[in-house]
Amino acid sequence: MATKKTPTKRAPKKRTASSDVTNEQLLEFYREMLLIRRFEEKAGQMYGMGLIGGFCHLYIGQEAVVVGMQSALEERDTILTSYRDHGHMLACGMDPDGVMAELTGRSGGYSKGKGGSMHMFSEEKGFYGGHGIVGAQVPIGTGIAFAHKYLEENAVNVAYLGDGALNQGQVYESFNMASLWELPVVYVIENNSYAMGTSTARSSANSTELYHRGAAYGIPGMQVDGMDVIAVREAAKIAVEHARSGKGPYIMEMMTYRYRGHSMSDPAKYRSKEEVQKVREERDPIERLRAVMLKKKVIDEAGMKQIDKDVKAVVSKSAEFAQSSPEPDPSELYTDVYADA
Amino acid sequence: MPIEILMPALSPTMTEGKLAQWLKNEGDSVSSGDILAEIETDKATMEVEAVEEGILGKILIAGDTDNVAVNTPIAILLEEGETEADLANVSSSVPNSVAVTDTVAESSTPAPTPVSVSGPAVEFVAPESEWDGPVVKTTVREALRDAMAEEMRRNKKVFLMGEEVAQYQGAYKISQGLLDEFGAKRVIDTPITEHGFAGLGVGAAFYGLNPIVEFMTFNFAMQAIDHIINSAAKTRYMSGGQVSSPIVFRGPNGVASRVGAQHSQCYASWYAHCPGLKVVSPYSAADAKGLLKSAIRDPNPVIFLENELMYGTSFDVPDTDDWTVPIGKAKVVRPGTDVTIVTFSLMVGKALDAAEELAKEGISAEVIDLRTIRPLDTETILTSVRKTNRLVTVEEGWAFSGIGSEISAMVMEQAFDYLDAPVKRVAGVDVPLPYAANLEQLALPQSSHIITSAKEVCYRS
């Protein structure tokens, strides 16, 4: 899929895919996407065992979006997202042990077991949640971008949102302020075609061009093949550079797909098995990168196997940690409500 | 090593289900994502997906078997290169993954665990030190402006944002002069976009800035209440103490004059309900200044409820730029011995008027200005009630689930034996506020209501 851009501002010069991506970076993308997939599969298994409670929203299928975006960011940049957040945390370098232990509600989790799947944070890694109210992360991310500008840090915030969140009013309130005040924020719409069970065609006007949603505010947008990690990276470089250079916000619409249900208990009656199978066979981001790397002889089958094995070990370790880490002490019930004045 | 495939749970409450049918046979090779079997519960049918690659070595539970307990081994998967001979060396259980294919509720509710209503211990808060230095007659309006200006001089991370706060100098002129002194970077006119700028402020606070978000009135903050509660109040807890929201939401609260139901409401009990927030509502200019400075310095989200009718009223304010009043400490504004009147904000004036009248009839009323609603200074209230044995609460908001209700319950729990009469609540009438002058007057607590209630609890007529 070609990268389409909104005509509201002069489109930046198009860069060819795979321009400057090194073999080492390709291997890193592959490893990170595989880590997210295996981690999420393990989370699904552990949910099935009753070790993870409540809601659990898996990122399987969408891995290229966050891995490609993250590769275009610098250490001082920040990100935040909605409740489908495990992939984002792993991509920004958070410890899989701490993420998995939060899913099991243990004291070794990032929020000491008090946040759960949807609520984790790491100031150290620039990850600001993990937000459970659809769309609420968008003004918050805009506010972090405001702080970046206020503190003159030359940093950028990436605020991820789904195609469903894009119909919340506060998203447009954010677009308006971000453009008005030229805030360094990149809005990444992860368009996986379904807002829970409602397709974009049934929920969103002009649903094939959601990247135009900022046009009224003068925010440039582009549509990107979110199943191609290299395309994501190349597009991200343009958007992030735009925001960092003081030109204000940018909107990226990532055309992606989630293989699993909205949450673990989603019957997924709103789409056919064939539809899911077709995406898995034809557009899977991990298989596509694997094919590219084999063709370019970046790595051989044996090397791939070794990466698989290494990733599996990391995930197994996180699952073990998440089961052996103790439950939070009952005294934790009352801590962290207020900071000491 | 061969891997056991376990009976999966559809939800944390599922304990057993029917293994309906196998879609793979023994000896079939399996890759990640393949559907192995179908499982039924009373709520749904689900498919069991393979996560590991391998060969389906042995089926342990046949299709069409009822009541299979969760986590029972149902099959054994052989890894590449293994044969039937390896079946004996089954590894520790690795469960399978599930995908649901039928209707099921979005959540399963675990049984509630009983909790104590008392919660964490109330911390003792020391009152502000007595001021015996010079004082200046200052209006509440100027006191609030001075508090912000002093804190902005003290800390470059403090900034003010809201509708008309900069060029217009504030809809109620609270921010007069601030744009001139601090510039447009730190005194920011926002669009009319409460939900958006409240959320933006919370994001800036997460990142370490100290925003003061002005709502033109708290009535408009209902557009933003999701960010105030779900984003600002809860994030410190949800992040295990990692991310705080050092933010102040301030503006006029309660009834002004003849502006109708949508612009006339007290939000004290709404916000006081929520752990994670602090709620402040001062009466005097000295308290307004000292508490706003404390609120700006506080690392937690603070709801600062002002009253438009008080803005022009003058009080003595300590002549210093370092006057702070601690959050969480009430003040006895008139000592007395016969009845305790607990109130806050504009109603403090009505209570003081009532106390003056009551004194003429030989009733000595003690008036407590709460100043802070959450955390509530229970000790000051209890000390007074143990002395007077009688309590009247006064608030402009509705009585139902109000501040008076909370205080009444607290006193019953902690000082029941000291009460010589049932607590009386004086509150706004249980209707949306009317516009007509006479009806508006009838809907709001007046000094006469306070006098009547005080006499009732003293069994005087």
Side-chain angles (χ1 to χ4, degrees):
Chain A
M1 185 184 305
T3 294
K4 289 195 266 178
K5 299 192 188 77
T6 191
T8 50
K9 278 187 183 172
R10 199 152 51 91
K13 201 176 141 204
K14 197 180 172 195
R15 317 256 289 261
T16 50
S18 77
S19 58
D20 66 343
V21 181
T22 65
N23 288 349
E24 287 68 35
Q25 281 171 320
L26 291 178
L27 284 166
E28 190 54 27
F29 294 166
Y30 182 78
R31 203 197 71 83
E32 286 179 6
M33 290 199 292
L34 201 64
L35 173 64
I36 294 170
R37 176 145 322 169
R38 295 284 173 260
F39 182 95
E40 294 290 65
E41 286 168 350
K42 181 63 84 175
Q45 291 171 34
M46 289 172 62
Y47 193 93
M49 289 175 80
L51 290 166
I52 296 171
F55 296 130
C56 188
H57 309 90
L58 302 181
Y59 197 63
I60 297 174
Q62 301 181 210
E63 298 91 344
V65 175
V66 74
V67 169
M69 282 304 303
Q70 200 65 26
S71 77
L73 298 182
E74 298 186 12
E75 207 165 297
R76 61 184 181 280
D77 297 332
T78 52
I79 72 166
L80 86 173
T81 186
S82 67
Y83 43 81
R84 194 178 307 285
D85 55 357
H86 313 158
H88 302 72
M89 293 188 275
L90 297 175
C92 66
M94 287 168 67
D95 182 359
D97 291 7
V99 179
M100 196 68 96
E102 190 61 35
L103 298 185
T104 53
R106 303 301 175 95
S107 59
Y110 265 97
S111 299
K112 303 186 207 166
K114 298 202 267 191
S117 165
M118 300 184 284
H119 306 295
M120 282 178 253
F121 302 81
S122 171
E123 289 187 329
E124 185 200 350
K125 300 291 182 189
F127 182 74
Y128 283 82
H131 297 273
I133 306 298
V134 177
Q137 75 277 16
V138 178
I140 295 173
T142 308
I144 293 171
F146 174 93
H148 287 321
K149 183 170 180 172
Y150 188 97
L151 297 168
E152 297 170 14
E153 295 179 324
N154 198 25
V156 172
N157 178 266
V158 177
Y160 292 87
L161 63 153
D163 47 280
L166 198 62
N167 291 322
Q168 290 277 23
Q170 59 182 316
V171 170
Y172 300 91
E173 298 190 31
S174 301
F175 286 176
N176 183 42
M177 287 185 287
S179 186
L180 187 67
W181 298 332
E182 295 180 322
L183 301 180
V185 56
V186 176
Y187 299 109
V188 177
I189 303 161
E190 298 194 60
N191 183 353
N192 63 22
S193 295
Y194 296 95
M196 197 164 155
T198 305
S199 68
T200 47
R202 293 200 299 124
S203 65
S204 303
N206 193 24
S207 64
T208 56
E209 295 181 313
L210 297 180
Y211 64 104
H212 280 324
R213 288 284 180 102
Y217 307 94
I219 304 175
M222 61 165 102
Q223 194 176 62
V224 183
D225 181 356
M227 305 297 270
D228 177 349
V229 68
I230 298 166
V232 172
R233 174 191 159 79
E234 292 309 311
K237 279 160 45 181
I238 295 167
V240 170
E241 168 57 24
H242 176 95
R244 201 186 302 284
S245 66
K247 292 178 189 157
Y250 209 106
I251 292 171
M252 304 177 76
E253 181 189 8
M254 301 290 182
M255 307 309 285
T256 184
Y257 200 80
R258 83 172 135 69
Y259 296 173
R260 295 295 184 88
H262 164 72
S263 66
M264 286 303 296
S265 51
D266 175 5
K269 287 282 196 189
Y270 46 81
R271 62 185 185 189
S272 67
K273 282 180 192 170
E274 291 71 31
E275 177 184 312
V276 181
Q277 204 50 39
K278 192 167 153 54
V279 178
R280 288 184 98 130
E281 280 165 13
E282 296 174 6
R283 295 178 62 204
D284 185 81
I286 296 175
E287 287 306 317
R288 278 168 74 175
L289 181 59
R290 185 186 164 89
V292 168
M293 290 200 301
L294 288 173
K295 193 176 164 202
K296 288 179 73 178
K297 299 199 185 335
V298 173
I299 190 168
D300 58 13
E301 286 284 356
M304 291 280 189
K305 281 234 150 95
Q306 187 58 44
I307 295 176
D308 287 3
K309 209 176 150 194
D310 295 346
V311 164
K312 251 185 200 170
V314 170
V315 171
S316 295
K317 177 172 164 287
S318 76
E320 277 162 30
F321 178 76
Q323 291 171 72
S324 61
S325 175
E327 288 189 312
D329 189 89
S331 66
E332 283 290 344
L333 178 62
Y334 293 122
T335 61
D336 304 322
V337 181
Y338 293 99
D340 290 336
Chain B
M1 200 182 293
I3 294 164
E4 281 181 337
I5 297 172
L6 304 184
M7 179 74 173
L10 184 60
S11 73
T13 52
M14 174 178 159
T15 55
E16 60 176 35
K18 176 181 180 180
L19 205 172
Q21 62 165 326
W22 284 97
L23 299 174
K24 293 276 180 185
N25 297 313
E26 287 182 1
D28 285 357
S29 64
V30 166
S31 56
S32 174
D34 285 356
I35 296 159
L36 298 175
E38 279 184 1
I39 284 171
E40 287 172 20
T41 70
D42 54 343
K43 290 187 281 193
T45 300
M46 62 189 178
E47 294 169 340
V48 181
E49 282 181 13
V51 172
E52 311 284 341
E53 293 176 348
I55 294 160
L56 192 58
K58 191 168 178 55
I59 288 173
L60 302 173
I61 307 274
D64 200 25
T65 304
D66 287 315
N67 306 327
V68 181
V70 165
N71 288 341
T72 306
I74 56 175
I76 296 174
L77 192 70
L78 296 170
E79 287 188 300
E80 200 178 304
E82 291 172 344
T83 63
E84 280 182 46
D86 296 298
L87 282 172
N89 310 319
V90 165
S91 79
S92 60
S93 318
V94 171
N96 36 276
S97 179
V98 294
V100 185
T101 59
D102 206 341
T103 315
V104 67
E106 167 78 14
S107 72
S108 53
T109 314
T113 38
V115 288
S116 155
V117 293
S118 56
V122 176
E123 276 180 47
F124 173 75
V125 178
E128 68 270 27
S129 47
E130 286 291 320
W131 177 259
D132 50 14
V135 293
V136 189
K137 277 273 181 230
T138 311
T139 61
V140 170
R141 172 180 285 114
E142 292 160 345
L144 292 168
R145 189 265 321 274
D146 292 349
M148 289 193 285
E150 287 168 15
E151 293 307 302
M152 288 175 78
R153 282 175 210 132
R154 188 172 171 268
N155 180 357
K156 286 195 160 40
K157 291 184 176 178
V158 178
F159 69 96
L160 172 67
M161 67 189 305
E163 293 154 10
E164 310 293 3
V165 298
Q167 293 192 15
Y168 196 90
Q169 307 288 322
Y172 294 100
K173 299 288 177 283
I174 305 300
S175 53
Q176 201 147 31
L178 295 184
L179 176 64
D180 289 344
E181 180 175 351
F182 299 102
K185 181 184 172 183
R186 299 179 66 195
V187 183
I188 301 155
D189 277 327
T190 64
I192 300 172
T193 187
E194 282 86 5
H195 197 181
F197 70 68
L200 188 149
V202 173
F206 280 0
Y207 199 71
L209 299 188
N210 300 93
I212 306 168
V213 172
E214 177 175 308
F215 291 115
M216 194 180 291
T217 86
F218 261 93
N219 301 289
F220 310 151
M222 286 227 268
Q223 300 255 17
I225 202 163
D226 176 58
H227 278 298
I228 297 172
I229 294 169
N230 271 320
S231 304
K234 296 180 183 172
T235 294
R236 185 173 169 80
Y237 194 81
M238 296 193 302
S239 68
Q242 246 194 102
V243 178
S244 295
S245 312
I247 187 169
V248 177
F249 296 103
R250 52 154 290 271
N253 171 64
V255 177
S257 186
R258 310 285 313 279
V259 292
Q262 290 185 339
H263 287 70
S264 310
Q265 188 170 333
C266 176
Y267 288 92
S269 76
W270 289 56
Y271 293 111
H273 185 64
C274 305
L277 292 179
K278 293 186 178 182
V279 182
V280 173
S281 191
Y283 169 68
S284 76
D287 286 347
K289 183 177 180 187
L291 281 165
L292 183 52
K293 285 166 70 75
S294 294
I296 294 167
R297 292 181 195 184
D298 200 285
N300 298 287
V302 181
I303 305 294
F304 198 91
L305 303 171
E306 301 159 9
N307 190 295
E308 185 195 330
L309 301 180
M310 294 298 301
Y311 283 152
T313 310
S314 293
F315 294 84
D316 286 340
V317 173
D319 187 13
T320 167
D321 62 3
D322 201 25
W323 170 251
T324 59
V325 171
I327 292 173
K329 193 68 198 167
K331 186 178 185 182
V332 176
V333 289
R334 178 182 172 120
T337 53
D338 296 333
V339 55
T340 301
I341 302 172
V342 176
T343 186
F344 59 96
S345 191
L346 182 72
M347 289 293 138
V348 173
K350 305 242 182 203
L352 288 170
D353 291 345
E356 196 64 36
E357 288 302 310
L358 288 164
K360 290 175 191 162
E361 300 185 39
I363 296 174
S364 167
E366 178 150 297
V367 179
I368 295 175
D369 176 0
L370 287 175
R371 305 195 294 186
T372 298
I373 314 295
R374 181 190 258 269
L376 188 67
D377 179 4
T378 55
E379 204 42 55
T380 296
I381 300 169
L382 290 168
T383 300
S384 180
V385 168
R386 287 187 192 114
K387 177 175 69 178
T388 65
N389 311 113
R390 291 169 166 87
L391 175 62
V392 174
T393 65
V394 185
E395 68 194 296
E396 200 175 77
W398 298 303
F400 194 98
S401 301
I403 302 302
S405 312
E406 176 60 31
I407 291 171
S408 177
M410 184 275 293
V411 168
M412 187 198 68
E413 285 167 349
Q414 299 189 44
F416 185 72
D417 291 339
Y418 288 90
L419 286 173
D420 285 346
V423 175
K424 288 291 280 185
R425 290 175 294 164
V426 176
V429 173
D430 201 27
V431 296
L433 198 80
Y435 167 72
N438 64 326
L439 295 181
E440 185 183 72
Q441 178 88 356
L442 287 169
L444 296 172
Q446 307 297 338
S447 290
S448 58
H449 300 124
I450 304 170
I451 292 166
T452 305
S453 294
K455 284 182 179 172
E456 279 176 19
V457 299
C458 291
Y459 301 115
R460 297 264 297 266
S461 53

